[in-house]
């Protein structure tokens, strides 16, 4: 799955978000027990982890990143 990562300088309830693109296309895996409302994504590889907003093209949806954690070279 491909996602685009952003830094969002707007509040979560703002319609016209102030977005700055971080990475154009990052390959991620959806965790097994997840849903479309609050998906859990697994990022791997070397990438800039300074983002708080993602767009998932396959789902045609934007999401705020609530938290990030590192385990076994994956975020």
């Amino acid at each position: 799955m491909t996602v685009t990562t952003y830094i969002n300088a707007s509040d979560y309830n703002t319609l016209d978000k102030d977005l700055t693109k971080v990475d154009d296309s990052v390959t991620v895996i959806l965790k097994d027990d997840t849903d479309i409302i609050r998906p859990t994504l697994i990022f791997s590889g070397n990438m800039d982890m300074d983002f708080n907003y993602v767009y998932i093209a396959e789902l045609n949806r934007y999401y705020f990143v609530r938290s990030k954690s590192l385990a076994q070279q994956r975020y």
Side-chain angles (χ1 to χ4, degrees):
M1 176 178 299
T2 303
V3 301
T4 304
T5 58
Y6 297 95
I7 295 174
N8 178 16
S10 306
D11 284 336
Y12 73 93
N13 59 354
T14 303
L15 290 178
D16 294 322
K17 307 261 190 258
D18 180 16
L19 300 177
T20 304
K21 190 181 291 188
V22 176
D23 278 322
D24 194 24
S25 61
V26 177
T27 303
V28 299
I29 301 168
L30 272 176
K31 193 169 179 180
D32 289 337
D33 297 331
T34 192
D35 60 40
I36 193 170
I37 303 299
R38 281 172 267 146
T40 301
L41 305 174
I42 300 172
F43 293 81
S44 59
N46 294 331
M47 59 177 286
D48 185 356
M49 291 302 293
D50 187 30
F51 62 88
N52 64 353
Y53 205 64
V54 298
Y55 174 70
I56 302 176
E58 286 83 351
L59 301 177
N60 195 30
R61 294 179 66 115
Y62 288 87
Y63 296 94
F64 269 100
V65 175
R66 301 279 184 220
S67 65
K68 299 177 217 168
S69 62
L70 175 64
Q72 299 175 355
Q73 302 300 325
R74 294 181 173 179
Y75 288 93

